[in-house]
Amino acid sequence: MKLTFIAPLGATLAMAFSMPAVAQDSAGVDWTGPYIGGSFGYNWQKKDGNEHLRFDTDADGDYNDVIRTTTGANAFSPGTCGGAARGSTPASGCDGDKDAIAWMGHVGYDRQFGSIVAGVVAEGGKSYIDDKVSEYSTTPAFYTMRRKIDWNANLRARLGYTTPGGIMPYITGGLSYAKVKNNFTTSNAANSFTSVDSKEDAWGWNMGGGIEAKVSSNFSIGARYLWTRYNADDYRVDVGAGTAPATNPFRITPSGGASINRGDKFDTQSVMITTSYRF
């Protein structure tokens, strides 16, 4: 899917950058001033097939414990899958994470110093990816946590170098924010499960680079790549006794229960086509 999207993106940019810039003179193009615009592209995630759910069995807030059976064996020894479980055992298969399109609107300001252009841009929009992880217990049963971005925003600095023809490669980086929605599903019908902080504020940072070209005195187009890391670790699921017997692994823990978490790293990457109107 990434290659399917990036190929026409490259062709579009090549055609645009071959167009002569309008309103140029012998002094070159001036990038100084405010601008507004939008972007459209594709978001994807790293492969996380080795990701695991994490457990807190002694209520100390650290998710580094092991759920054990009455014999002392690891109750989650069947393993994990980096997606959504299709059944109660690993043999049932696993549906992968969803990579998808994204869009953003932006507003920014650039200032040119000779051939150097420095600026700042704020942007916000929507990414349609989701990220899942499942763990299997010896019961057998599956436990799946899923998170997706409701909306996201960035505040980025930019530093570029402009040619007299109005083409500017640049590097960029800054702060990121996402409103993350979480949910939990399981085939375990015995214990009780209570979600906490299913909607959370995830802050992070981003870095990347791109290229932009002026195609008229007030209009520019470009493309950018951005790597983003969100710290999303507030969501948890508290496990209670439910109708499970006293020998249930979730009940024989030091605290008499357990909490489930999936860790705090939520990494995404994106390639976007950008358009801007410059005042």
Side-chain angles (χ1 to χ4, degrees):
M1 180 63 182
K2 292 193 291 288
L3 293 176
T4 302
F5 179 80
I6 292 173
L9 181 152
T12 301
L13 290 175
M15 180 178 66
F17 292 157
S18 68
M19 297 169 56
V22 179
Q24 296 182 21
D25 54 30
S26 59
V29 173
D30 185 10
W31 291 88
T32 297
Y35 60 92
I36 61 172
S39 58
F40 178 82
Y42 191 73
N43 271 25
W44 71 94
Q45 308 163 66
K46 69 177 183 179
K47 301 298 182 183
D48 55 4
N50 293 323
E51 185 181 10
H52 285 270
L53 296 182
R54 307 185 307 169
F55 303 95
D56 177 12
T57 64
D58 52 12
D60 65 354
D62 293 327
Y63 291 85
N64 54 6
D65 301 322
V66 177
I67 305 293
R68 298 193 180 277
T69 66
T70 53
T71 65
N74 185 349
F76 284 84
S77 57
T80 186
C81 79
R86 295 175 183 167
S88 297
T89 66
S92 303
C94 185
D95 292 326
D97 294 334
K98 178 185 176 183
D99 301 330
I101 61 171
W103 60 267
M104 302 190 96
H106 62 251
V107 58
Y109 183 87
D110 285 329
R111 187 167 182 84
Q112 186 168 337
F113 305 90
S115 298
I116 303 300
V117 179
V120 62
V121 57
E123 58 188 357
K126 178 78 172 180
S127 174
Y128 295 89
I129 63 174
D130 68 28
D131 180 28
K132 301 174 287 286
V133 60
S134 299
E135 203 86 16
Y136 300 96
S137 67
T138 54
T139 313
F142 72 82
Y143 306 76
T144 299
M145 281 188 166
R146 176 192 180 195
R147 59 188 173 194
K148 61 180 181 178
I149 295 176
D150 189 17
W151 63 275
N152 60 307
N154 300 313
L155 179 63
R156 300 185 283 110
R158 302 200 314 166
L159 183 64
Y161 177 87
T162 183
T163 69
I167 296 177
M168 181 180 65
Y170 63 88
I171 57 175
T172 187
L175 299 174
S176 292
Y177 167 83
K179 176 65 75 173
V180 177
K181 289 183 176 180
N182 299 276
N183 66 23
F184 174 80
T185 55
T186 180
S187 59
N188 178 344
N191 294 97
S192 64
F193 299 90
T194 304
S195 291
V196 179
D197 291 326
S198 58
K199 290 185 178 181
E200 61 179 314
D201 299 310
W203 294 90
W205 56 281
N206 61 75
M207 63 180 182
I211 188 168
E212 193 168 356
K214 272 202 169 185
V215 293
S216 76
S217 59
N218 297 105
F219 189 70
S220 63
I221 65 170
R224 67 143 175 88
Y225 163 83
L226 206 64
W227 180 91
T228 305
R229 166 163 288 179
Y230 300 105
N231 293 306
D233 60 353
D234 292 335
Y235 178 61
R236 75 176 195 269
V237 174
D238 293 336
V239 187
T243 60
T247 55
N248 178 267
F250 285 116
R251 297 190 60 184
I252 60 174
T253 62
S255 65
S259 292
I260 307 174
N261 182 280
R262 62 172 300 171
D264 62 346
K265 300 297 185 292
F266 189 6
D267 297 343
T268 70
Q269 299 180 72
S270 65
V271 173
M272 308 279 276
I273 298 173
T274 64
T275 61
S276 297
Y277 179 82
R278 295 181 169 270
F279 298 93

